[in-house]
Amino acid sequence: MTVNSSHMNSTISTSRGILPPTRVVSYESPEAGSSASFSQLEPDMNKDDETELLSVSWNQDYGCFAAGTSSGFRIYNCDPFKETFRRDLKSGGFKIVEMLFRCNILALVGGGANSQYPPNKVMIWDDHQSRCISEFSFRSEVRAVKLRRDRLVVVLEHKIYVYNFTDLKLLHQIETLANPRGLCCLSHHLNTSVLACPGLQRGQVRIEHFGLNMTKFINAHDSHIACFTLTMDGLLLATASNKGTLIRIFNTMDGTRLQEVRRGVEKAEIYSIVLSSNAQWLAASSDKGTVHIFSLRVRVVGEDAYDNSSAAHGQALFHQNSSTSVDALISPNTGANPSSSLSFMRGVLPKYFSSEWSFAQFHLPENTRFIVAFGSQNTVIIVGMDGSFYRCSFDPVQGGEMVQREYVRFLKTDIRPR
């Protein structure tokens, strides 16, 4: 079946349509790794030293990551670290590999010098059925794909399309400022449906609370947005601009700024920001080669109050969390993030003297793109475009330099695209 829709500038083709997987096949399952094969595609037994790493990305709970390569893709489990699944293909590689937790559904977009898969097409691959079950073709290059159990989101440079995952129905079209990085983030709790994307003004983030039928615009920075992330429930947003010196945390219900932390004084490109599941910690990586951990002073509002079936209930939460009562979202300052000894002179000296600096740090090679996530028991997981995997631990009381607990070179390549 092929559906042509001129208003959405895309073509969708599917043999059966997409249904959320009724049978979840873990990528640690031998069945998923051994029985499936791409239809009409020949495997290629490339050696690692011939493989270029095109992308790395986490799954929704940070328990796995996907690596898009010039010859296919690979899936890795984080704890314990191991490669659980791979596809090596003669027909080229993928610049986008988006997982859906640990189930059998993947979204793929072609990339690399010799890929036969066009960069304007999203392929939905069902590894249980061993076939591509749907394709989305667009008139411009796909910048990102985001999945949650009930939604599929395709990000183009100037527009975002939100589809229902069950029947591929187009639900929303969102215009954005130029978005070449494909910035977009989704909540992943079942009872919150939140999307964050660039707005139509420089430094602005648009928040869609789909369950509440509410849109919020947050003017987060004066310069262009470089990176942002949501908590799993979508109620907190962390942002960085292309200056890369400050990271700000906002309440997505009313746009109130809750906290600001400082990565450094010099300009930097922020590669990755992540919030811990309990919203106690924030981690960030940049081209300066240091992963910073910050202590947060925000409390997570009870997500039970966010009821997708009741907009009125949601509006009550909105008023409850308005700026008049935002103090309820801010915990007393524990002093965990160090600040300058000259902070008593704030307003007189430059702003960075009164800033909150990072609580813990880990040093990596500069100018290599790393993404970060929180693991269990005060650990941080770091994955690099040089094919490296790190697990580090930090002292939640003393902070300081993190301790490296594990290092793996999961793909041996000298090619380090940024």
Short mmCIF file of all heavy atoms in Angstrom, two decimals, residues 300-333:
data_model
loop_
_atom_site.label_atom_id
_atom_site.label_comp_id
_atom_site.label_asym_id
_atom_site.label_seq_id
_atom_site.Cartn_x
_atom_site.Cartn_y
_atom_site.Cartn_z
N VAL A 300 11.36 16.66 41.07
CA VAL A 300 10.46 16.22 40.02
C VAL A 300 9.03 16.27 40.53
O VAL A 300 8.70 15.70 41.57
CB VAL A 300 10.80 14.79 39.57
CG1 VAL A 300 9.83 14.33 38.48
CG2 VAL A 300 12.23 14.73 39.05
N VAL A 301 8.17 16.97 39.80
CA VAL A 301 6.76 17.02 40.16
C VAL A 301 6.15 15.66 39.91
O VAL A 301 6.48 14.98 38.95
CB VAL A 301 6.03 18.08 39.32
CG1 VAL A 301 4.55 18.13 39.66
CG2 VAL A 301 6.66 19.44 39.53
N GLY A 302 5.25 15.24 40.77
CA GLY A 302 4.61 13.93 40.61
C GLY A 302 3.96 13.79 39.25
O GLY A 302 3.06 14.54 38.90
N GLU A 303 4.43 12.83 38.46
CA GLU A 303 3.92 12.68 37.10
C GLU A 303 2.50 12.15 37.09
O GLU A 303 1.81 12.24 36.07
CB GLU A 303 4.82 11.72 36.33
CG GLU A 303 4.73 10.32 36.86
CD GLU A 303 5.85 9.43 36.33
OE1 GLU A 303 6.98 9.90 36.21
OE2 GLU A 303 5.55 8.27 36.04
N ASP A 304 2.03 11.61 38.22
CA ASP A 304 0.65 11.11 38.25
C ASP A 304 -0.35 12.23 38.01
O ASP A 304 -1.48 11.99 37.60
CB ASP A 304 0.36 10.45 39.61
CG ASP A 304 1.18 9.19 39.80
OD1 ASP A 304 1.63 8.64 38.78
OD2 ASP A 304 1.38 8.78 40.95
N ALA A 305 0.09 13.46 38.27
CA ALA A 305 -0.82 14.58 38.06
C ALA A 305 -1.02 14.88 36.58
O ALA A 305 -1.95 15.56 36.20
CB ALA A 305 -0.28 15.83 38.76
N TYR A 306 -0.12 14.35 35.75
CA TYR A 306 -0.20 14.59 34.30
C TYR A 306 -1.03 13.45 33.71
O TYR A 306 -0.57 12.35 33.51
CB TYR A 306 1.21 14.59 33.72
CG TYR A 306 1.30 15.05 32.28
CD1 TYR A 306 2.00 16.19 31.95
CD2 TYR A 306 0.73 14.33 31.24
CE1 TYR A 306 2.13 16.62 30.65
CE2 TYR A 306 0.85 14.74 29.93
CZ TYR A 306 1.56 15.88 29.64
OH TYR A 306 1.68 16.28 28.33
N ASP A 307 -2.28 13.72 33.44
CA ASP A 307 -3.20 12.69 32.97
C ASP A 307 -3.59 13.00 31.53
O ASP A 307 -4.24 13.99 31.25
CB ASP A 307 -4.44 12.66 33.87
CG ASP A 307 -5.41 11.55 33.50
OD1 ASP A 307 -5.21 10.91 32.45
OD2 ASP A 307 -6.35 11.33 34.27
N ASN A 308 -3.17 12.15 30.60
CA ASN A 308 -3.44 12.41 29.19
C ASN A 308 -4.92 12.44 28.87
O ASN A 308 -5.33 12.99 27.86
CB ASN A 308 -2.77 11.34 28.31
CG ASN A 308 -1.27 11.53 28.27
OD1 ASN A 308 -0.75 12.50 28.82
ND2 ASN A 308 -0.59 10.62 27.62
N SER A 309 -5.74 11.85 29.68
CA SER A 309 -7.16 11.80 29.38
C SER A 309 -7.91 12.99 29.93
O SER A 309 -9.12 13.11 29.74
CB SER A 309 -7.77 10.51 29.95
OG SER A 309 -7.68 10.53 31.37
N SER A 310 -7.22 13.87 30.63
CA SER A 310 -7.91 14.99 31.26
C SER A 310 -7.12 16.27 31.10
O SER A 310 -6.18 16.53 31.83
CB SER A 310 -8.12 14.70 32.76
OG SER A 310 -8.63 15.85 33.40
N ALA A 311 -7.51 17.07 30.13
CA ALA A 311 -6.84 18.35 29.93
C ALA A 311 -7.08 19.28 31.11
O ALA A 311 -6.23 20.07 31.49
CB ALA A 311 -7.33 19.00 28.64
N ALA A 312 -8.27 19.18 31.70
CA ALA A 312 -8.57 20.04 32.84
C ALA A 312 -7.63 19.75 34.00
O ALA A 312 -7.13 20.66 34.67
CB ALA A 312 -10.02 19.84 33.28
N HIS A 313 -7.39 18.46 34.21
CA HIS A 313 -6.45 18.07 35.26
C HIS A 313 -5.07 18.63 34.96
O HIS A 313 -4.36 19.12 35.84
CB HIS A 313 -6.41 16.54 35.35
CG HIS A 313 -5.82 16.04 36.63
ND1 HIS A 313 -5.84 14.72 36.98
CD2 HIS A 313 -5.17 16.68 37.63
CE1 HIS A 313 -5.25 14.56 38.14
NE2 HIS A 313 -4.83 15.74 38.56
N GLY A 314 -4.68 18.56 33.70
CA GLY A 314 -3.38 19.09 33.31
C GLY A 314 -3.30 20.58 33.51
O GLY A 314 -2.27 21.11 33.93
N GLN A 315 -4.38 21.30 33.21
CA GLN A 315 -4.35 22.74 33.43
C GLN A 315 -4.22 23.06 34.90
O GLN A 315 -3.60 24.05 35.29
CB GLN A 315 -5.63 23.38 32.85
CG GLN A 315 -5.70 23.34 31.33
CD GLN A 315 -4.54 24.12 30.71
OE1 GLN A 315 -4.16 25.17 31.21
NE2 GLN A 315 -3.98 23.60 29.63
N ALA A 316 -4.81 22.22 35.75
CA ALA A 316 -4.66 22.43 37.19
C ALA A 316 -3.19 22.30 37.58
O ALA A 316 -2.67 23.08 38.38
CB ALA A 316 -5.51 21.43 37.96
N LEU A 317 -2.51 21.30 36.98
CA LEU A 317 -1.09 21.14 37.26
C LEU A 317 -0.31 22.34 36.75
O LEU A 317 0.62 22.82 37.39
CB LEU A 317 -0.57 19.86 36.59
CG LEU A 317 0.94 19.58 36.70
CD1 LEU A 317 1.32 19.40 38.16
CD2 LEU A 317 1.32 18.37 35.88
N PHE A 318 -0.72 22.85 35.58
CA PHE A 318 -0.04 24.02 35.01
C PHE A 318 -0.11 25.19 35.97
O PHE A 318 0.87 25.86 36.25
CB PHE A 318 -0.69 24.37 33.68
CG PHE A 318 -0.22 25.68 33.12
CD1 PHE A 318 1.06 25.80 32.60
CD2 PHE A 318 -1.04 26.79 33.12
CE1 PHE A 318 1.51 27.00 32.07
CE2 PHE A 318 -0.60 27.99 32.60
CZ PHE A 318 0.68 28.10 32.08
N HIS A 319 -1.30 25.46 36.52
CA HIS A 319 -1.42 26.58 37.44
C HIS A 319 -0.68 26.30 38.75
O HIS A 319 -0.08 27.19 39.32
CB HIS A 319 -2.90 26.86 37.71
CG HIS A 319 -3.62 27.41 36.51
ND1 HIS A 319 -3.23 28.58 35.89
CD2 HIS A 319 -4.68 26.93 35.80
CE1 HIS A 319 -4.03 28.82 34.84
NE2 HIS A 319 -4.91 27.83 34.77
N GLN A 320 -0.71 25.05 39.16
CA GLN A 320 -0.02 24.70 40.40
C GLN A 320 1.49 24.94 40.26
O GLN A 320 2.15 25.35 41.20
CB GLN A 320 -0.27 23.22 40.70
CG GLN A 320 0.56 22.68 41.86
CD GLN A 320 0.41 21.18 41.96
OE1 GLN A 320 -0.61 20.62 41.58
NE2 GLN A 320 1.42 20.52 42.46
N ASN A 321 2.00 24.70 39.04
CA ASN A 321 3.44 24.84 38.83
C ASN A 321 3.82 26.17 38.22
O ASN A 321 4.91 26.33 37.71
CB ASN A 321 3.92 23.72 37.90
CG ASN A 321 3.82 22.38 38.57
OD1 ASN A 321 3.72 22.31 39.77
ND2 ASN A 321 3.84 21.31 37.78
N SER A 322 2.91 27.13 38.24
CA SER A 322 3.22 28.43 37.65
C SER A 322 4.29 29.12 38.48
O SER A 322 4.65 28.69 39.57
CB SER A 322 1.95 29.30 37.60
OG SER A 322 1.51 29.61 38.91
N SER A 323 4.80 30.23 37.94
CA SER A 323 5.94 30.89 38.56
C SER A 323 5.64 31.36 39.98
O SER A 323 6.55 31.59 40.76
CB SER A 323 6.39 32.07 37.69
OG SER A 323 5.32 32.97 37.52
N THR A 324 4.37 31.50 40.33
CA THR A 324 4.05 31.94 41.68
C THR A 324 4.38 30.88 42.71
O THR A 324 4.53 31.18 43.88
CB THR A 324 2.56 32.30 41.78
OG1 THR A 324 1.78 31.14 41.43
CG2 THR A 324 2.21 33.44 40.84
N SER A 325 4.47 29.62 42.26
CA SER A 325 4.78 28.56 43.21
C SER A 325 5.98 27.74 42.76
O SER A 325 6.13 26.59 43.13
CB SER A 325 3.57 27.63 43.38
OG SER A 325 3.23 27.03 42.14
N VAL A 326 6.84 28.36 41.94
CA VAL A 326 7.96 27.59 41.39
C VAL A 326 8.95 27.18 42.48
O VAL A 326 9.71 26.25 42.30
CB VAL A 326 8.67 28.41 40.29
CG1 VAL A 326 9.49 29.53 40.88
CG2 VAL A 326 9.53 27.50 39.43
N ASP A 327 8.94 27.86 43.63
CA ASP A 327 9.84 27.47 44.71
C ASP A 327 9.63 26.02 45.13
O ASP A 327 10.53 25.38 45.64
CB ASP A 327 9.65 28.38 45.93
CG ASP A 327 10.19 29.78 45.69
OD1 ASP A 327 10.97 29.94 44.72
OD2 ASP A 327 9.83 30.69 46.44
N ALA A 328 8.42 25.52 44.89
CA ALA A 328 8.15 24.12 45.25
C ALA A 328 8.96 23.16 44.40
O ALA A 328 9.13 22.00 44.76
CB ALA A 328 6.66 23.82 45.09
N LEU A 329 9.46 23.64 43.24
CA LEU A 329 10.24 22.77 42.37
C LEU A 329 11.72 22.83 42.68
O LEU A 329 12.50 22.10 42.10
CB LEU A 329 10.02 23.18 40.90
CG LEU A 329 8.63 22.96 40.33
CD1 LEU A 329 8.58 23.52 38.92
CD2 LEU A 329 8.24 21.51 40.36
N ILE A 330 12.14 23.73 43.54
CA ILE A 330 13.55 23.94 43.80
C ILE A 330 13.89 23.50 45.22
O ILE A 330 13.33 23.99 46.19
CB ILE A 330 13.94 25.42 43.61
CG1 ILE A 330 13.52 25.89 42.20
CG2 ILE A 330 15.42 25.63 43.83
CD1 ILE A 330 13.78 27.35 41.95
N SER A 331 14.80 22.54 45.30
CA SER A 331 15.22 22.06 46.60
C SER A 331 16.21 23.04 47.22
O SER A 331 16.84 23.83 46.52
CB SER A 331 15.89 20.69 46.45
OG SER A 331 14.98 19.77 45.89
N PRO A 332 16.37 23.01 48.54
CA PRO A 332 17.37 23.87 49.17
C PRO A 332 18.75 23.59 48.58
O PRO A 332 19.08 22.46 48.28
CB PRO A 332 17.30 23.47 50.65
CG PRO A 332 15.93 22.89 50.82
CD PRO A 332 15.60 22.22 49.52
N ASN A 333 19.54 24.63 48.43
CA ASN A 333 20.86 24.48 47.83
C ASN A 333 21.77 23.70 48.78
O ASN A 333 22.05 24.14 49.89
CB ASN A 333 21.45 25.87 47.55
CG ASN A 333 22.74 25.77 46.75
OD1 ASN A 333 23.25 24.70 46.51
ND2 ASN A 333 23.25 26.93 46.35
#
